[in-house]
């Protein structure tokens, strides 16, 4: 039975004349949780008790909070509520319309898409366990404009069919995710026997100004991280301080408009970092800075079909059997500086030192392609001080300030050893990174949320929209990642009181009609 834990608190709605009631409500597996979520008003908090909540059809949710009074749906402290939908013919939850709301600490399994974001902005999905979905775990590809998403410290694993961990944005710029933060997630095993695609985190064409930070991604079928071009919509996407291994295709694949820095890639089925044409984007406005790439096969870094400036600097590139860097196209568009490692280097004639030694340069590294290993620079490592200070980032993989030092690779050297998280499966230790730190390359301008920082060294920086999409192919003509081919949080634009009323009317209409479909 639904329980009200605390008396109502009257809150004046700043932009309207009405009064909302802020309540903390506790529900259990026997309650109508979908109705309770749809009834939430600005400032309300819905607390789910532990136990299994079996869904017989997809939940359709409208929650409209405000910046001053967000809505929270969360697990009860110490409990683990589990939303389970045995059938994959519908999604688990469709968030039809959400503004300024948080969904926290809840296990979600089954269904087609686990959580599908439809008309959603300023939503946080945090600390959830999303697994064994019939398709993608989290999607935001139903049209519209996704602004200010925060996807934080979720365990996403064992998907099926197209099976991306996150599918954010639409093909061909039909919709976009922007100014959002994807941080601290553990995304793994998107490579099961039914998987057709299986990217870890995919940011589609036209999406911009996003920060993909401090995630651990491994055992995928397609690239661990894939970004397309921003097509001029806004700032580059930032991919930083992530660790990945056993990526079924490339470790990181990007078409254009990205800053790729302080990442660690231990092995992948294709190349470590691949910059190549994809949809309407071709390699340009790309920075690859201070990464550590150990690659047992193929090339550590590749560039093909470049049409604009590409900077590769201060990166440790160790290739056991392939090229450390294989850069093609117009070399006048490519800048290389302060890179060091093992393997041949094609591209600009300077900017790369082949004198690396994997045994001597790292504390404990190999070409095994996965942990356990420690790729922190060893005492006496050739990586220490060998970079180009013009392109030194402001922090490292641990979030440690570099203070102008130009050590090659993802770490700043410390004679006392690695002060941060040890590479392993699981979440990256939150204490090892500082998401409040402004990162950047050589004083670049800020780009993305939370003062993420951007580098200006290079230059300026639809899936099926049905409510119950089921196991759809995520958009007509979507060929997936085509990996192997070369080729401030503002309020809604209406008064809050009207927002609440519209949200209530939408919910009321849906409740009257939902059983007729």
């Amino acid at each position: 039975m639904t329980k009200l834990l605390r008396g109502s608190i009257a809150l004046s709605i700043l932009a309207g004349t009405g009064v909302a009631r802020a309540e903390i409500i506790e529900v259990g597996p026997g309650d109508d949780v979908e109705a309770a979520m749809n009834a939430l008003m600005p400032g309300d908090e819905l607390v789910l008790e532990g136990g299994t909540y079996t869904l017989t059809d997809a939940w359709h949710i409208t929650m409209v909070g405000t910046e001053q009074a967000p809505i929270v749906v969360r697990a009860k402290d110490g409990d683990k509520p589990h939303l389970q939908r045995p059938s994959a013919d519908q999604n688990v939850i469709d968030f039809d319309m959400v503004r300024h709301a948080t969904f926290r600490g809840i296990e979600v399994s089954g269904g087609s898409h686990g959580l599908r974001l439809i008309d959603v902005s300023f939503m946080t999905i945090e600390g959830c366990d999303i697994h064994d979905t019939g398709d993608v775990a989290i999607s935001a590809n139903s049209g519209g404009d996704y602004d200010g998403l925060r996807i934080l410290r979720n365990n996403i694993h064992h998907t099926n069919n197209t099976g991306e961990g996150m599918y954010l944005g639409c093909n061909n710029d039909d919709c976009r995710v922007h100014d959002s933060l994807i941080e601290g997630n553990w995304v793994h095993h998107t490579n099961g026997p039914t998987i057709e695609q299986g990217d870890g985190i995919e940011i589609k064409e036209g999406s911009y100004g996003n920060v993909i930070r401090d995630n651990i991604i491994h055992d995928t079928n397609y690239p661990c991280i894939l970004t397309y071009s921003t097509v001029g919509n806004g700032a580059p996407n930032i991919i930083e301080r992530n660790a990945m291994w056993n990526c079924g295709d490339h470790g990181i694949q990007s078409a254009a408009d990205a800053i790729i820095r302080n990442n660690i890639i231990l092995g992948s089925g294709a190349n470590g970092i691949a910059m190549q044409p994809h949809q309407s984007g071709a390699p340009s406005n790309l920075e690859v800075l201070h990464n550590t790439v150990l690659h047992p096969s193929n090339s550590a870094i590749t560039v093909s079909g470049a049409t604009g400036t590409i900077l590769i600097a201060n990166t440790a590139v160790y290739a056991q059997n392939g090229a450390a860097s294989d850069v093609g196209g117009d070399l006048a568009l490519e800048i290389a500086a302060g890179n060091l490692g093992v393997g041949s280097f094609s591209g600009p004639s300077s900017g790369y030192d082949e004198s690396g030694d994997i045994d001597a340069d790292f504390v404990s590294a190999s070409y095994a392609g996965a942990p356990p290993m420690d790729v922190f620079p060893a005492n006496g490592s050739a990586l220490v001080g060998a970079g180009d200070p013009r392109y030194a980032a402001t922090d490292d993989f641990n979030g440690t300030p570099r203070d102008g030092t130009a050590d090659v690779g993802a770490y700043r050297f410390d004679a006392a050893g690695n002060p941060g998280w040890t590479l392993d499966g699981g979440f990256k230790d939150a204490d090892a990174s500082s998401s409040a730190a402004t990162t950047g390359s050589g004083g670049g301008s800020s780009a993305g949320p939370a003062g993420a920082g951007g580098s200006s060294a290079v230059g300026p920086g639809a899936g099926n929209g049905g409510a119950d999409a089921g196991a759809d192919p995520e958009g007509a003509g979507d060929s997936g990642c085509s990996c192997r081919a070369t080729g401030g949080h503002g309020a809604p634009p209406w008064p809050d009181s009207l927002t609440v009323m519209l949200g209530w009317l939408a919910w009321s209409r849906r409740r009257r009609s939902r059983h007729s479909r």
Side-chain angles (χ1 to χ4, degrees):
M1 180 178 181
T2 304
K3 298 173 280 296
L4 183 64
L5 297 185
R6 185 181 68 190
S8 302
I9 301 174
L11 293 176
S12 297
I13 298 179
L14 298 179
T17 59
V19 175
R21 293 165 62 87
E23 299 176 341
I24 297 180
I25 304 150
E26 187 173 305
V27 294
D31 295 318
D32 189 344
V33 180
E34 180 186 11
M37 290 176 70
N38 280 306
L40 295 171
M41 303 291 281
D44 283 352
E45 188 169 342
L46 185 68
V47 180
L48 276 64
E49 297 174 347
T52 299
Y53 299 67
T54 301
L55 283 68
T56 56
D57 60 359
W59 286 357
H60 292 268
I61 302 301
T62 293
M63 299 187 296
V64 183
T66 69
E67 186 176 11
Q68 296 78 18
I71 290 170
V72 175
V73 177
R74 66 171 178 87
K76 184 177 180 179
D77 292 346
D79 282 6
K80 189 172 183 179
H82 180 187
L83 309 183
Q84 182 184 52
R85 176 165 171 70
S87 174
D89 62 339
Q90 294 181 345
N91 304 321
V92 181
I93 301 180
D94 284 345
F95 289 103
D96 291 341
M97 180 180 179
V98 173
R99 301 288 185 272
H100 298 288
T102 292
F103 187 80
R104 178 187 301 133
I106 296 169
E107 182 179 3
V108 176
S109 70
S112 177
H113 297 210
L115 304 179
R116 187 163 202 168
L117 283 54
I118 297 175
D119 182 4
V120 174
S121 291
F122 307 112
M123 181 180 184
T124 296
I125 301 171
E126 182 176 12
C128 295
D129 182 0
I130 306 170
H131 63 93
D132 292 290
T133 54
D135 211 273
V136 57
I138 297 176
S139 63
N141 65 334
S142 297
D145 186 73
Y146 298 96
D147 186 7
L149 304 181
R150 292 169 57 84
I151 303 175
L152 313 175
R153 292 192 69 77
N154 301 284
N155 184 7
I156 295 172
H157 56 105
H158 292 96
T159 56
N160 292 281
N161 293 316
T162 60
E164 296 88 347
M166 302 179 202
Y167 186 108
L168 306 178
C170 294
N171 278 306
N172 303 306
D173 193 29
D174 287 341
C175 72
R176 61 209 57 85
V177 173
H178 65 93
D179 299 302
S180 295
L181 178 64
I182 301 100
E183 181 179 66
N185 301 281
W186 178 23
V187 183
H188 57 105
H189 292 99
T190 62
N191 62 347
T194 71
I195 289 290
E196 301 166 2
Q197 297 180 27
D199 307 81
I201 299 172
E202 183 173 6
I203 308 291
K204 302 295 285 189
E205 184 163 277
S207 293
Y208 63 92
N210 302 297
V211 176
I212 307 156
R213 170 194 289 157
D214 292 329
N215 302 284
I216 306 303
I217 310 168
H218 61 89
D219 293 284
T220 65
N221 191 53
Y222 267 10
C224 281
I225 297 176
L226 171 62
T227 67
Y228 295 51
S229 167
T230 67
V231 295
N233 288 335
N237 295 301
I238 297 174
I239 304 168
E240 64 178 358
R241 303 195 317 230
N242 306 284
M244 59 209 81
W245 58 88
N246 287 343
C247 309
D249 200 276
H250 304 303
I252 297 174
Q253 178 184 330
S254 188
D257 310 315
I259 298 167
I260 302 168
R261 65 179 170 225
N262 289 327
N263 300 284
I264 295 173
I265 301 173
L266 301 181
S268 63
N271 302 300
I273 298 174
M275 292 163 276
Q276 63 189 49
H278 201 164
Q279 290 191 2
S280 67
S284 62
N285 193 25
L286 285 161
E287 298 183 6
V288 177
L289 306 172
H290 284 287
N291 302 281
T292 295
V293 185
L294 309 185
H295 217 264
S297 62
N298 298 316
S299 297
I301 296 177
T302 62
V303 180
S304 61
T307 61
T309 306
I310 297 168
L311 169 66
I312 303 172
N314 301 342
T315 289
V317 279
Y318 288 70
Q320 184 178 27
N321 295 309
S325 180
D326 185 0
V327 178
D330 185 352
L331 298 186
L333 299 175
E334 295 151 11
I335 302 167
N339 304 292
L340 186 145
V342 171
S344 63
F345 182 80
S346 66
S349 59
S350 62
Y352 177 69
D353 182 345
E354 297 182 56
S355 66
D357 182 328
I358 193 170
D359 295 322
D361 292 339
F362 301 103
V363 171
S364 176
S366 73
Y367 292 109
M373 67 176 72
D374 186 349
V375 296
F376 196 80
N379 286 298
S381 170
L383 300 169
V384 179
D388 189 325
R390 293 176 299 170
Y391 304 112
T394 60
D395 69 358
D396 75 351
F397 178 81
N398 290 326
T400 302
R402 289 185 183 267
D403 294 332
T405 62
D407 300 329
V408 176
Y411 290 107
R412 178 184 178 180
F413 174 69
D414 186 332
N418 186 357
W421 177 76
T422 301
L423 287 172
D424 198 359
F427 292 99
K428 186 176 179 182
D429 185 354
D431 294 334
S433 303
S434 174
S435 60
T438 299
T439 59
S441 167
S445 60
S446 176
S455 168
S456 58
V458 166
N464 185 329
D468 290 317
D472 63 61
E474 304 190 39
D478 181 9
S479 60
C481 73
S482 302
C483 308
R484 293 173 177 86
T486 57
H489 296 292
W494 47 71
D496 287 346
S497 55
L498 180 57
T499 296
V500 172
M501 181 178 70
L502 289 173
W504 181 87
L505 288 172
W507 168 76
S508 178
R509 287 195 300 270
R510 187 169 59 256
R511 295 300 297 171
R512 290 195 299 270
S513 64
R514 68 188 307 264
H515 293 293
S516 63
R517 57 172 194 272

